[in-house]
Amino acid sequence: MQNVRTELRDGILFLTIDRPKVLNALNAATVEEIFHVFSTAHDDVTVKAVIVTGAGEKAFVAGADINELAQKTPVTGKETSERGQFILAFIEKFPKPVIAAINGFALGGGCELALACHIRIASDKAQIGLPEVTLGIIPGYGGTQRMARLLGSAKALELICTGDRIGAAEAERIGLVNKVVPADQLVAAAEEMARKIMSRGPLAIRAAIEAVNRGSEMPIREGEFLEATLFGLLCASEDTKEGMKAFLEKRPANFKGK
Ligand code: CO8
């Protein structure tokens, strides 16, 4: 892989988008490498969580690579959009926690990548936005859909139609990121969040991700049905028995993912 770096440290897979000369812009090769990393990690039992970040001090990802976008025809534009949507949906449905550590510009496709992650932690230097309309296009990696579901259509339309970038504090205020930390504490904060989640029952985390993601696509009564079904399934797991037993015995639980 030439455009991303990976490092597995005590169960956390660090995925760094690494094209600093173009502020980590996503060309097609990079998008495929990101997919390769997630598909390999999906069934790798040594990977318990993923943290996604950008190389260098300046950018998380400054969007899709505009050099490639400028060549798109109606057919290849649609195909590229659909491929990106598929890959980001794969990340969104990933059964282990995925945290975006937003270390700088997260624009266009970079913002959309962060939106597909389960949790977003931003450095106080981060700037986030969907500037596609300034190029005469719209977001094409699920941004119109995820932004509207996360923030409501009015705020999403404001950000998408102005193309404005917002700073980390404003992003936290409107709920676009979970937390803002000083730049030099970003990776530690993302790791701390990942480790906390990893200490919980992994089957419960998987079910929670599925219930929230799939549930948000359903009417509430069907979402509740899904929740109850997943709840019932968890009751058959060794982890659930261990979690309750550990509480009653006043000791930390030792979850095994079974
Ligand atoms: N693509 C390609 N190159 C880029 C990109 C990008 N998205 N962003 C920055 N670069 C390059 C610059 O061209 C520059 O290259 P060079 O040194 O050769 O001139 C280098 O990175 C450094 O950038 P700047 O000199 O511009 O750095 P500044 O600090 O002055 O500005 C900004 C930083 C504000 C981030 C600025 O670079 C910028 O506005 N970048 C473009 C941001 C943008 O518009 N992103 C959205 C792209 S569209 C998109 O993401 C669509 C997603 C859906 C696709 C669907 C598929 C069909």
Side-chain angles (χ1 to χ4, degrees), residues 229-246:
T229 305
L230 290 169
F231 191 100
L233 266 178
L234 288 171
C235 290
S237 73
E238 288 175 25
D239 277 1
T240 299
K241 290 179 181 56
E242 163 63 10
M244 311 269 179
K245 198 161 173 273

Side-chain angles (χ1 to χ4, degrees), residues 19-27 58-59 61-69 72-73 76-82 84 105-112 127 129-135 137-143 165:
R19 301 182 77 213
K21 284 191 183 135
V22 286
L23 305 185
N24 306 321
L26 300 175
N27 60 2
K58 208 167 159 183
V61 168
D65 191 315
I66 298 169
N67 296 297
E68 282 189 0
L69 278 189
K72 297 292 174 205
T73 66
T76 59
K78 181 163 187 269
E79 282 170 357
T80 309
S81 171
E82 286 175 340
F105 291 114
L107 304 176
C111 174
E112 295 177 287
Q127 288 202 40
L130 291 170
E132 282 89 342
V133 292
T134 66
L135 300 165
I137 52 173
I138 61 170
Y141 288 160
R165 301 197 294 260

